[in-house]
Amino acid sequence: MADEWKPKIIGIICNWCSYAGADGAGSARTQYPPDVRIVRVMCTGRIDTLFVLKAFADGADGVLVSGCHFGDCHYLAGNYKAAKRMFLVKSVMQNMGLEHRRFRMTFVSASEGAKWAVVINDVINTVKEIGPSPIAAERKRRGL
Amino acid sequence: MVYSGKKASEGGDAPVEPRIGVFICHCGTNIAGSLDVVAVKEYALTLPHVVVSENYAYMCSTPGQNMIHDAIEKDHLTGVVVAACTPRLHEPTFRTATANGGLNPFRFEMANIRDQGSWVHMHDWDGGTEKAKDAVRIAVAKATMLEDLYPMAVPVEHRAMVVGAGVAGIQTSMDLAKAGIETYLIEKEPTIGGRMSQLDKTFPTLDCSQCILSPKMAEAGRMPGIRLFTLAEVESVEGYIGNFDVTIRRHARGVLTPDEAAAKGIVGGGCTGCGDCSQVCPVVRPNTWEFGMAPRKAIYIQHAQVVPLIYTIDFDACVKCGLCETACGTKKAIDLNMEDELFTVKVGTVILATGYETFPIEEKSEWGYKLYDNVISSLEFERLICASGPTIGHLVRPSDGETPMSVGFVLCAGSRDNTGIGKPYCSRFCCMYSLKHAHQVIEKIPGCKAYLFYMDIRSFGKAYEEFYYRIQHEGAKFIRGRVAQIQELPNKNLLVIAEDTLLGMPVEIEVDLVVLAAAVQPTAETEVVRRLFGVSCSADKWLLEAHPKLDPCGTTTAGVYLAGVCQGPKDIPDTVAQAEGAASAASIPIHSGQVELEPYYAQCVEALCAGCGMCVGQCPYSALSMIVNDDGRTVMTVTAAKCKGCGTCGGFCPGGAIRMQHFTSPQILAQIDAFFLGGEQ
């Protein structure tokens, strides 16, 4: 049973750097496991902390936020502002007893397709090590 | 891009039940070879609001686009989802197809099942298929909530700016000026001309570099359409395509041009380039333009053909003795107290042409550059063999000034190097100029031997291979192998130790002089300029084009274009070709007179806005401000033309009062819910 569990992970990523980097991994045919689904936003600055928390409330096993490197943001500083907010997510997770390593923010540029594959592998392995989300189990128990 | 979409629900604002069409692209076997497209198509039909689902070999083809067009009409769709490559490639294509079908183009959503699907899960049929189904489900969830949006047309300033005045920047500026566009040409050095002005002859035609460049430099300097600013750098950038406000720092030159002198009321004044000042200047410094192989004064010009012909004071060296002021006399051109000047110009489009510098080859210590006197770089060789250079064209070796009778050329000096010290890429023009160097020593010094140590000779251009044969027949010796080490002998000769991979044996050759064909890298300023304009770079730091094949002059920042080596190593013909391409691309928005901005701007939902004002500080573009509305409440308002649509305010607003068009919170939450909570009917 444990072997069959496939983690459900969502990646909310910026259009200019990480989405382009993920496309770059495709162009280079860099292979990685298919467990992360992608939602594209123009900038990580768009990401409301509530989006991340809603994903966890929906039973996400992991959430990845990925944007441009500091100093490289297409909109000057959206990634700085996102990063500041994402610390808040980690702190909320710790306070509510949810393993904070389920959430991760990374910085992958448009040319870093290889790094994107490393990040995806890393995120999946971390989530697999932690195991299924307790919220997902609770949702199931309550028949949600 | 101009869209002509109609409203989905014409004639009334009554909410319409979403009707979504899903189209799965095979991309030949790119997608269909790695996942089950038919299963994805059938799965899509089980999703809420999906009324039609089809699959086709190439959705981007005309028949594929017609399928979208026909389905919109036949099935009265309110939204279109195409699962195919990436929106970064074909979103414009499918938006146009959606608009042609009569829907607003922003009612299109793309699911990426190739670049982030089949291509990265090539050997996981089931996993890839499941991921594609989820991607379609997420896209459908967004498509059900999409709205009609209308791009905002903004006027384009009828001026352009070119940053960097090497041959690329000069060519671009001249093309733009000839097309009737006033162009600011910004150069950090005191003269235009760039690297090409330092070269002696150019391959494969062997015409002298200065002879073909100087007329262009002179013409650029006097063209009325070009506003030339040398010794100037970009200080800051604001705005967007059509309306960039660029602040330029003009470094203090210490010398007035005739125009500047006239503006100060000095009749008949200003620098005429006579050089009397330089003659009396007591301070001697190495001439950096000659790589330190010749002296210059603290008040100087880099070489005889400079444009503009205005002397420059090196304030780091100047002792302010005032002798130059006396020598200048009534022209009163010298101002020892001149300060940097900042000014802002408004331009519609910008071209970056910031060029290259050589990789510091001393980091490859095995070749002894800067350690042994007679190991020089290729650009130093250019100056030594050039008739206008420090030795008036007599090639000498630095240790004793003797004419070398054997020269070793080390190709790929730092290029194609995966040790982590050099550069992994090919610098592209070193093979050809090294062939030219070999030709020059054989021609100029009777009996001189030329040895080329190479990995491969890449003579790919027009008439290049023929040039390679010519140099072979002239007697140059080619040794295929990388140079492992260079040792200096007591007589300052050099022992080049390499492996001849064709003979499969080590070789040791004693030569009088070694020339390293140094790898090239972007200039240090390129990184600064790129960040100011928000342009991406590739892993090796060259500026990143919008598409490697289909948009090689554009960048992902609308209105900013690339020309020349700053985008990647290229020789002079390719540089000039790209410069002309960039000029053409940059003139299109200017001649159109207006551009349409993506309607992704923020809006304030006044009913929800508490007027806290915290969003104002989040905006990097000062697009938000607080106003008192008709009800007398303080609320935020957005200046749509200033907003670039990042959504940083929308991600922050604690009251959810900021609506980011096309990326609204309900749309994003619907995507998240669709993934985790399913969506099957």
Side-chain angles (χ1 to χ4, degrees):
Chain A
M1 186 68 191
D3 288 341
E4 286 172 21
W5 171 67
K6 293 235 181 242
K8 290 191 94 168
I9 304 169
I10 198 156
I12 310 176
I13 68 179
C14 88
N15 179 63
W16 302 101
C17 292
S18 291
Y19 199 90
D23 280 349
S27 300
R29 310 296 194 277
T30 310
Q31 304 296 301
Y32 55 80
D35 300 305
V36 181
R37 307 293 186 259
I38 298 300
V39 168
R40 180 173 68 118
V41 289
M42 296 312 278
C43 178
T44 47
R46 173 69 191 97
I47 302 172
D48 196 319
T49 49
L50 290 176
F51 297 167
V52 180
L53 296 176
K54 183 67 168 75
F56 281 118
D58 284 353
D61 296 310
V63 177
L64 167 69
V65 164
S66 188
C68 306
H69 288 280
F70 288 138
D72 254 3
C73 177
H74 189 76
Y75 304 102
L76 309 179
N79 53 354
Y80 280 104
K81 283 158 187 161
K84 271 171 90 174
R85 276 176 224 154
M86 296 309 143
F87 280 116
L88 179 67
V89 172
K90 286 237 166 198
S91 133
V92 169
M93 289 173 75
Q94 277 166 319
N95 279 330
M96 63 197 270
L98 191 63
E99 171 58 71
H100 72 92
R101 288 183 304 142
R102 291 184 187 279
F103 170 70
R104 185 160 165 200
M105 181 167 186
T106 62
F107 308 93
V108 176
S109 81
S111 59
E112 293 178 326
K115 182 180 172 186
W116 177 252
V118 172
V119 163
I120 293 289
N121 269 300
D122 206 35
V123 165
I124 293 171
N125 289 339
T126 305
V127 170
K128 279 188 171 168
E129 180 203 316
I130 301 166
S133 158
I135 299 174
E138 182 63 15
R139 286 186 71 96
K140 209 170 192 177
R141 195 179 65 76
R142 296 190 190 180
L144 286 170
Chain B
M1 204 165 311
V2 181
Y3 299 116
S4 58
K6 292 181 283 183
K7 281 198 174 185
S9 52
E10 280 181 342
D13 290 338
V16 180
E17 184 73 8
R19 294 174 64 83
I20 308 297
V22 179
F23 303 88
I24 318 290
C25 181
H26 299 189
C27 197
T29 56
N30 277 304
I31 295 170
S34 300
L35 58 87
D36 191 342
V37 283
V38 177
V40 177
K41 177 193 87 165
E42 284 167 2
Y43 171 77
L45 278 174
T46 68
L47 295 170
H49 306 298
V50 173
V51 292
V52 55
S53 177
E54 310 220 40
N55 56 312
Y56 185 65
Y58 293 101
M59 281 309 300
C60 57
S61 68
T62 306
Q65 294 190 49
N66 285 343
M67 286 167 71
I68 297 173
H69 178 276
D70 295 346
I72 292 171
E73 289 191 344
K74 188 167 140 279
D75 296 300
H76 308 291
L77 301 182
T78 64
V80 172
V81 170
V82 175
C85 44
T86 164
R88 295 176 63 254
L89 182 64
H90 270 316
E91 190 173 64
T93 311
F94 296 123
R95 275 192 180 160
T96 307
T98 304
N100 288 342
L103 265 185
N104 182 286
F106 293 93
R107 286 179 172 267
F108 163 75
E109 177 67 13
M110 196 147 179
N112 186 331
I113 63 167
R114 189 189 75 176
D115 299 49
Q116 297 177 27
S118 60
W119 276 357
V120 289
H121 316 303
M122 293 177 86
H123 316 296
D124 187 351
W125 181 269
D126 293 339
T129 305
E130 285 309 308
K131 184 173 175 180
K133 286 179 181 174
D134 287 349
V136 168
R137 188 167 76 233
I138 291 168
V140 167
K142 179 156 181 185
T144 59
M145 306 186 72
L146 290 174
E147 307 153 308
D148 292 352
L149 296 176
Y150 299 92
M152 191 174 35
V154 293
V156 177
E157 192 69 28
H158 202 84
R159 290 197 193 93
M161 176 176 288
V162 177
V163 184
V167 65
I170 292 172
Q171 184 68 46
T172 308
S173 307
M174 287 172 63
D175 282 11
L176 286 167
K178 283 177 184 167
I181 297 165
E182 186 180 26
T183 303
Y184 290 90
L185 179 54
I186 310 299
E187 170 58 51
K188 71 171 195 299
E189 293 288 326
T191 173
I192 63 173
R195 287 283 169 227
M196 187 176 167
S197 65
Q198 292 177 303
L199 308 181
D200 179 33
K201 289 184 174 176
T202 56
F203 58 80
T205 45
L206 297 174
D207 35 9
C208 116
S209 187
Q210 281 282 15
C211 309
I212 54 177
L213 183 65
S214 293
K216 265 191 195 292
M217 287 165 62
E219 194 185 347
R222 63 169 181 261
M223 274 180 87
I226 296 179
R227 302 281 304 274
L228 176 60
F229 293 96
T230 51
L231 218 65
E233 291 182 84
V234 178
E235 180 85 5
S236 64
V237 182
E238 278 183 32
Y240 47 89
I241 181 171
N243 301 277
F244 289 106
D245 290 306
V246 186
T247 302
I248 304 296
R249 176 181 289 272
R250 261 183 106 182
H251 293 286
R253 190 177 203 119
V255 180
L256 298 172
T257 66
D259 287 348
E260 287 166 345
K264 285 196 167 190
I266 307 167
V267 180
C271 182
T272 58
C274 66
D276 291 347
C277 52
S278 192
Q279 284 190 358
V280 298
C281 179
V283 182
V284 180
R285 280 282 176 277
N287 186 345
T288 47
W289 193 79
E290 300 279 14
F291 304 102
M293 295 185 292
R296 70 155 160 75
K297 299 293 183 65
I299 184 162
Y300 68 103
I301 51 172
Q302 285 179 334
H303 57 94
Q305 285 97 347
V306 292
V307 173
L309 179 53
I310 304 290
Y311 274 74
T312 304
I313 295 176
D314 176 355
F315 279 110
D316 290 338
C318 176
V319 293
K320 300 204 175 178
C321 63
L323 284 172
C324 52
E325 277 181 305
T326 315
C328 192
T330 55
K331 294 193 290 289
K332 291 185 183 171
I334 290 162
D335 178 359
L336 289 172
N337 298 312
M338 195 184 271
E339 287 184 352
D340 288 7
E341 190 187 327
L342 290 172
F343 62 96
T344 303
V345 294
K346 195 178 250 309
V347 294
T349 53
V350 176
I351 292 129
L352 305 183
T354 52
Y356 73 95
E357 61 192 23
T358 49
F359 156 75
I361 1 170
E362 59 271 25
E363 289 182 15
K364 299 286 286 183
S365 55
E366 62 266 38
W367 296 326
Y369 182 67
K370 288 194 177 171
L371 217 57
Y372 308 143
D373 291 342
N374 294 330
V375 176
I376 63 172
S377 80
S378 44
L379 275 173
E380 289 164 347
F381 179 91
E382 291 285 349
R383 294 313 304 153
L384 285 175
I385 200 96
C386 182
S388 67
T391 56
I392 327 169
H394 296 292
L395 181 66
V396 294
R397 56 185 216 154
S399 68
D400 49 14
E402 292 294 317
T403 302
M405 291 312 290
S406 57
V407 184
F409 295 94
V410 177
L411 277 65
C412 294
S415 306
R416 303 175 70 193
D417 180 323
N418 290 315
T419 60
I421 300 171
K423 305 290 175 186
Y425 50 81
C426 167
S427 295
R428 284 188 90 223
F429 44 84
C430 335
C431 282
M432 291 306 297
Y433 72 58
S434 293
L435 292 173
K436 179 200 72 176
H437 289 172
H439 163 81
Q440 286 177 299
V441 298
I442 291 168
E443 184 191 48
K444 280 204 168 186
I445 307 167
C448 183
K449 293 190 177 73
Y451 300 97
L452 285 92
F453 297 89
Y454 71 101
M455 289 164 72
D456 301 285
I457 294 290
R458 295 184 165 175
S459 52
F460 50 83
K462 191 174 180 182
Y464 287 11
E465 188 71 5
E466 295 88 327
F467 188 71
Y468 176 26
Y469 287 134
R470 176 177 164 189
I471 308 310
Q472 286 177 343
H473 287 119
E474 285 179 357
K477 299 276 181 289
F478 291 80
I479 298 140
R480 187 178 185 276
R482 192 156 218 164
V483 173
Q485 203 184 19
I486 294 172
Q487 292 174 358
E488 191 179 55
L489 303 174
N491 62 356
K492 298 280 180 181
N493 281 2
L494 300 152
L495 190 67
V496 183
I497 304 165
E499 186 194 357
D500 187 327
T501 57
L502 295 179
L503 296 177
M505 56 187 283
V507 288
E508 290 186 5
I509 295 173
E510 188 181 329
V511 292
D512 295 345
L513 181 71
V514 165
V515 181
L516 301 175
V520 296
Q521 63 186 21
T523 55
E525 294 80 7
T526 301
E527 181 69 10
V528 178
V529 172
R530 141 184 123 68
R531 290 189 174 208
L532 287 172
F533 284 99
V535 171
S536 301
C537 68
S538 40
D540 42 30
K541 298 290 176 191
W542 299 107
L543 299 184
L544 194 64
E545 62 284 348
H547 190 278
K549 297 176 187 73
L550 304 178
D551 198 355
C553 298
T555 68
T556 48
T557 302
V560 181
Y561 306 86
L562 306 175
V565 181
C566 65
Q567 182 253 336
K570 51 181 75 67
D571 56 16
I572 295 167
D574 286 0
T575 293
V576 173
Q578 194 188 20
E580 300 214 274
S584 168
S587 68
I588 292 169
I590 290 177
H591 284 311
S592 309
Q594 64 172 38
V595 284
E596 295 202 325
L597 302 182
E598 300 241 56
Y600 297 165
Y601 48 86
Q603 290 172 328
C604 177
V605 183
E606 289 189 8
L608 295 175
C609 178
C612 70
M614 287 198 287
C615 51
V616 175
Q618 293 277 310
C619 180
Y621 305 109
S622 317
L624 312 184
S625 49
M626 304 306 291
I627 53 153
V628 177
N629 73 357
D630 296 342
D631 304 337
R633 281 203 311 124
T634 300
V635 292
M636 184 274 279
T637 188
V638 181
T639 309
K642 279 188 177 177
C643 174
K644 289 199 181 186
C646 63
T648 303
C649 56
F652 179 76
C653 178
I658 299 176
R659 201 169 170 284
M660 283 311 305
Q661 301 214 103
H662 210 62
F663 292 91
T664 65
S665 297
Q667 286 169 355
I668 295 170
L669 289 169
Q671 288 178 290
I672 294 169
D673 287 348
F675 172 40
F676 291 108
L677 308 179
E680 293 86 345
Q681 273 177 333

